[in-house]
Amino acid sequence: MTKIAFVRKKEIPPSAPPITTVGLIGWLRQNLFSSWLNSILTVLSVYFIVIMLWDFIPWAYGGHWNTKSLRECLDLDPDVACFSVLTARWKQLLFGLYPAEEYWRPTLTFIFLLLAIVPILFPKFFRFFWFSIIYPGLAVWLLWGGSFWSISIVYIGLTLGALFFLTLIRRYLKNYMIAAILASLFTAVFFFLISNPLVGFLNAILPISLPFVESLKMGGFTLSLIVGVTGIVASFPIGILLALGRQSNLPVIKMICVGFIEFIRGVPLITLLFVASVLLNYFLPPGTNFDIVLRVVIMVTLFSAAYMAEVIRGGLAGLPLGQHEASASLGLTYWQSQRLIIMPQALKISIPGIVNTFIGLFKDTTLVSIISLRDPVGLASTIRADQKWNGIYWELYVAIGLMFFIFCWGMSQYSQYLERKLKTDK
Amino acid sequence: MEKTKINITDEVAIHISDMNKWFGNFHVLRDINLEVRRGERIVVCGPSGSGKSTLIRCINRLEEHQKGSIIVDGTELTTDLKNIDKIRSEVGMVFQHFNLFPHLTTLENCTLAPMWVRETPEKEATEIAMEMLEKVKIPEQAHKYPGQLSGGQQQRVAIARSLCMKPRIMLFDEVTSALDPEMIKEVLDTMIELAEDGMTMICVTHEMGFARQVADRVIFMDDGQIVEQNEPEEFFKNPQSDRTKLFLSQILGH
């Protein structure tokens, strides 16, 4: 029999790992050449990448930028890109039919957009959040023009309504529901009776206005961004409410939310856009001027809100029941626990899905070309109909694709950053 | 070790009479009658599925009872949401799986409820939280996230989180069942200390050593009924019912 008793007398000190498993060599071995099959795949992939770039780089690098037409390009050198179409038409791709002397307005709106999303994306700058609140009104005024006051009045009305609500709560009432109803009534009265004369008065004493630009003139990436950004911003809160409604214990609310989500998800976006562009007018009283861009934005928003709701519901389902119980046992009310405990965690779980929906929505804005709005894809057809550029494909679509890619890739990068930042388990 | 009994008063903290509860058709709790006095420390034990967790979850309305009445601190539990929130803010509960909020630091876990439910200013809430974290002996973990703590530490944070609401009653639902053996002691020590401070406690637990050491009363449940209750000495020495004897022999027998 062997002896099984053993007592360690000498400690083994920790030592460095073998040289072939660390550093560059270690990395190459582990990731690219770990087996015969892997090595072959690596070599093949490198080969494909090289031959693709072999053709693409000279094509793109040697491209013409300054010819007058596609014909001229082909006469010079048919084997390289003809980017002249972009040189000639880039303003259209960016601004559509927006009047040329007013190009500064969409440009400024875009710069302000970048500034306005900073406080939302990075909490460090949250003190500038007021700008994000002002931005929507500012953007509408800059893009469509008209009187400054008819936009500001919306802000004035809502602010007064909010103040009225707060005063009621602080001074006279305890019941939030009744206060909210009274405040809504107050706001409605303001908008129906007081706002028009007030706008007239303000216009009379201090006329600030920009030339009006109608919605059909909006186009290019300006239009994509109008529809995309508004859709993203509006569909997010609606999606949260729908997700909560779908989980509600109140059968009526639950039924409405389920019905809405299932209906919208079951119908192609194109159909909804057609409804928005053609059919909606039949249902509205004659003579109603319901802006086409607004109609499209509403449809796109509702469409992605339904998807958003399901993504967020996935996040809610991923939370252990214990989180609800713990927050209830501490005495938090339903809304407090949703806001402080449940939603922060559910949204964190759903970040990839939410950003997925955002990206999908942004790219789906190109579908508006079907209802003859002039987004970049719609414009591409218009440009190709011009006999000077008839027959051009690659250069236009590569450029449009690249623009969309920059925005979508940015969103995806931000979502990855956010996921890393919110990681609390390590 | 001598138990301090001076804390128990005549004041009634919880009064449960003829309480019944069903899950669908399944009769989980049957004719429960229980009176808990302020300062009393009660251990509830029994086989799994006997309804002991459901019983204490009824006390802060995580479960709804269908018949009979539960009166906590003079307020009856009805469907009135205001009453429920009031009772919940005065009854602390600690769970088997800790249920800490993983997206908040230890300190934020502790200050959240006082700040939002009691509207305590942040500075004061932080002071209370640090005091409670010191009481459970982990003030140095205040700025870590729950995911970075061991199970025992998490459970102590959960106790501190409840204590920050200055509850008058504490409910413990199998708080050591999910812990590794070497961590059970640190949690039990915290509970013992709490018991010695005179907190009214109801503990669902299988830790019979703990029951012996701190409980004023042990309740044995089976099939949704209270089968036997007694002082711990008597309960363990002279169990009366056969079911109690069987249970004790199974749990103490090895």
Side-chain angles (χ1 to χ4, degrees):
Chain A
M1 239 177 84
T2 48
K3 267 173 73 180
I4 54 167
F6 169 76
V7 180
R8 177 166 299 287
K9 297 212 175 62
K10 226 177 105 197
E11 285 286 312
I12 303 173
S15 57
I19 195 84
T20 48
T21 60
V22 291
L24 181 65
I25 300 169
W27 186 88
L28 283 175
R29 266 195 173 206
Q30 257 178 26
N31 294 294
L32 299 180
F33 302 103
S34 63
S35 68
W36 271 111
L37 183 64
N38 253 3
S39 308
I40 292 170
L41 287 177
T42 303
V43 172
L44 274 181
S45 317
V46 170
Y47 172 71
F48 277 117
I49 294 172
V50 167
I51 57 166
M52 283 195 28
L53 291 181
W54 198 260
D55 282 340
F56 180 77
I57 290 180
W59 177 80
Y61 188 73
H64 302 297
W65 289 90
N66 283 312
T67 56
K68 290 277 176 289
S69 69
L70 180 61
R71 192 69 258 150
E72 222 175 296
C73 271
L74 293 176
D75 288 346
L76 278 173
D77 182 355
D79 288 334
V80 297
C82 184
F83 291 122
S84 315
V85 65
L86 302 177
T87 322
R89 299 297 196 102
W90 67 274
K91 287 176 183 163
Q92 253 193 331
L93 281 176
L94 291 185
F95 304 115
L97 303 181
Y98 213 86
E101 66 279 12
E102 307 283 349
Y103 278 170
W104 64 273
R105 279 159 54 179
T107 313
L108 197 60
T109 314
F110 180 67
I111 293 169
F112 282 161
L113 170 71
L114 297 182
L115 294 179
I117 57 175
V118 166
I120 300 172
L121 299 188
F122 306 100
K124 219 176 11 175
F125 299 101
F126 193 74
R127 62 183 183 280
F128 297 115
F129 188 65
W130 56 268
F131 186 70
S132 313
I133 295 188
I134 294 175
Y135 179 75
L138 188 62
V140 169
W141 182 59
L142 278 174
L143 286 172
W144 275 271
S147 159
F148 176 72
W149 299 113
S150 48
I151 302 288
S152 322
I153 201 74
V154 177
Y155 279 85
I156 294 172
L158 292 178
T159 312
L160 285 178
L163 285 178
F164 186 72
F165 175 77
L166 287 178
T167 326
L168 279 182
I169 288 292
R170 293 258 166 81
R171 293 274 168 79
Y172 305 104
L173 274 168
K174 272 269 135 55
N175 192 324
Y176 282 78
M177 202 64 155
I178 299 174
I181 293 170
L182 285 176
S184 315
L185 275 177
F186 171 83
T187 317
V189 167
F190 176 84
F191 281 123
F192 277 108
L193 300 178
I194 306 172
S195 67
N196 276 343
L198 190 60
V199 169
F201 173 71
L202 286 169
N203 272 335
I205 52 168
L206 192 63
I208 310 179
S209 76
L210 287 170
F212 181 70
V213 178
E214 60 169 343
S215 287
L216 284 173
K217 294 257 162 72
M218 309 281 163
F221 271 99
T222 312
L223 182 66
S224 301
L225 282 172
I226 292 172
V227 177
V229 172
T230 322
I232 285 172
V233 171
S235 67
F236 187 51
I238 299 177
I240 292 179
L241 291 180
L242 282 172
L244 288 179
R246 190 164 187 166
Q247 301 219 317
S248 167
N249 293 326
L250 310 170
V252 178
I253 290 184
K254 186 174 177 161
M255 240 161 52
I256 293 174
C257 292
V258 172
F260 177 84
I261 292 170
E262 295 302 335
F263 172 73
I264 296 276
R265 282 204 309 167
V267 177
L269 179 56
I270 299 250
T271 322
L272 293 176
L273 290 177
F274 269 121
V275 170
S277 85
V278 186
L279 289 177
L280 220 55
N281 275 348
Y282 289 111
F283 296 112
L284 294 170
T288 346
N289 183 20
F290 196 13
D291 191 274
I292 178 72
V293 171
L294 182 61
R295 280 185 273 171
V296 166
V297 164
I298 289 174
M299 283 303 179
V300 170
T301 302
L302 295 182
F303 188 76
S304 84
Y307 280 88
M308 189 66 64
E310 288 298 281
V311 169
I312 293 171
R313 189 167 69 100
L316 285 172
L319 278 195
L321 193 59
Q323 293 292 310
H324 295 265
E325 289 179 349
S327 53
S329 78
L330 287 167
L332 294 170
T333 63
Y334 175 81
W335 287 110
Q336 281 174 340
S337 90
Q338 288 303 338
R339 193 178 124 207
L340 302 165
I341 309 298
I342 307 304
M343 271 307 153
Q345 296 183 61
L347 293 181
K348 186 180 129 189
I349 301 174
S350 333
I351 288 174
I354 291 174
V355 174
N356 211 12
T357 314
F358 283 169
I359 289 177
L361 181 154
F362 189 59
K363 290 186 300 182
D364 280 352
T365 58
T366 51
L367 289 175
V368 299
S369 60
I370 303 276
I371 54 168
S372 53
L373 283 181
R374 291 176 189 83
D375 85 303
V377 173
L379 280 167
S381 317
T382 318
I383 292 172
R384 288 194 301 115
D386 181 346
Q387 58 168 358
K388 277 196 286 186
W389 303 110
N390 198 342
I392 204 156
Y393 293 94
W394 286 94
E395 294 79 357
L396 262 181
Y397 288 117
V398 164
I400 293 168
L402 193 65
M403 287 294 275
F404 274 101
F405 177 79
I406 290 169
F407 285 103
C408 296
W409 188 69
M411 284 192 248
S412 144
Q413 286 300 303
Y414 177 75
S415 89
Q416 285 173 34
Y417 155 81
L418 199 62
E419 276 178 75
R420 278 196 302 276
K421 205 181 81 161
L422 295 179
K423 199 167 185 151
T424 56
D425 51 355
K426 282 224 184 80
Chain B
M1 180 172 166
E2 193 53 36
K3 267 190 290 195
T4 44
K5 286 213 175 165
I6 42 166
N7 292 315
I8 304 180
T9 61
D10 288 336
E11 192 190 338
V12 176
I14 303 171
H15 184 93
I16 302 177
S17 61
D18 295 328
M19 193 261 279
N20 281 271
K21 170 163 184 62
W22 289 263
F23 283 132
N25 284 325
F26 178 55
H27 201 170
V28 247
L29 292 175
R30 308 175 197 173
D31 285 338
I32 303 289
N33 284 290
L34 180 65
E35 195 172 84
V36 182
R37 281 171 299 161
R38 172 114 18 251
E40 204 174 3
R41 290 147 299 190
I42 292 181
V43 162
V44 184
C45 61
S48 62
S50 59
K52 48 196 194 309
S53 284
T54 313
L55 171 63
I56 66 167
R57 287 159 61 87
C58 281
I59 294 171
N60 67 351
R61 194 75 166 194
L62 287 182
E63 304 287 353
E64 199 175 321
H65 62 281
Q66 279 98 21
K67 239 175 92 181
S69 72
I70 303 177
I71 299 170
V72 181
D73 266 335
T75 314
E76 181 167 2
L77 275 172
T78 56
T79 45
D80 188 345
L81 286 176
K82 283 225 171 84
N83 277 350
I84 296 173
D85 284 338
K86 178 170 170 285
I87 286 171
R88 280 175 178 168
S89 66
E90 284 175 13
V91 178
M93 184 161 198
V94 186
F95 301 85
Q96 181 177 2
H97 296 290
F98 332 134
N99 297 350
L100 290 175
F101 306 132
H103 62 303
L104 302 175
T105 62
T106 300
L107 186 63
E108 287 164 344
N109 263 279
C110 293
T111 54
L112 182 107
M115 280 167 63
W116 288 90
V117 179
R118 296 240 191 279
E119 289 173 13
T120 315
E122 185 175 354
K123 192 161 162 281
E124 202 186 325
T126 308
E127 278 166 20
I128 297 172
M130 287 312 292
E131 188 187 316
M132 293 306 163
L133 286 172
E134 255 157 54
K135 196 177 179 119
V136 301
K137 306 199 176 61
I138 35 174
E140 72 281 2
Q141 311 286 3
H143 296 287
K144 286 199 185 160
Y145 287 97
Q148 299 164 317
L149 305 181
S150 74
Q153 290 173 325
Q154 290 194 43
Q155 194 58 294
R156 285 184 284 152
V157 173
I159 294 173
R161 175 176 72 177
S162 291
L163 291 178
C164 285
M165 288 293 283
K166 302 265 161 87
R168 292 156 67 83
I169 301 165
M170 286 285 283
L171 308 172
F172 293 86
D173 189 1
E174 305 209 30
V175 292
T176 54
S177 306
L179 294 176
D180 290 339
E182 73 263 35
M183 292 171 182
I184 291 179
K185 188 176 177 298
E186 61 185 60
V187 172
L188 286 181
D189 284 347
T190 311
M191 289 168 69
I192 290 168
E193 200 178 307
L194 203 57
E196 282 165 357
D197 288 349
M199 175 67 75
T200 311
M201 293 164 66
I202 304 184
C203 315
V204 171
T205 181
H206 293 122
E207 297 295 329
M208 292 302 134
F210 171 79
R212 276 214 183 86
Q213 194 178 339
V214 300
D216 299 306
R217 182 170 17 151
V218 179
I219 293 177
F220 174 69
M221 287 183 73
D222 197 4
D223 279 338
Q225 301 148 69
I226 294 179
V227 175
E228 189 167 344
Q229 51 173 321
N230 211 331
E231 294 190 349
E233 288 282 304
E234 278 299 300
F235 179 83
F236 290 111
K237 220 184 282 168
N238 288 320
Q240 301 297 312
S241 130
D242 288 342
R243 284 200 265 186
T244 318
K245 283 177 195 161
L246 178 66
F247 175 73
L248 285 178
S249 74
Q250 281 165 341
I251 201 169
L252 300 172
H254 54 90

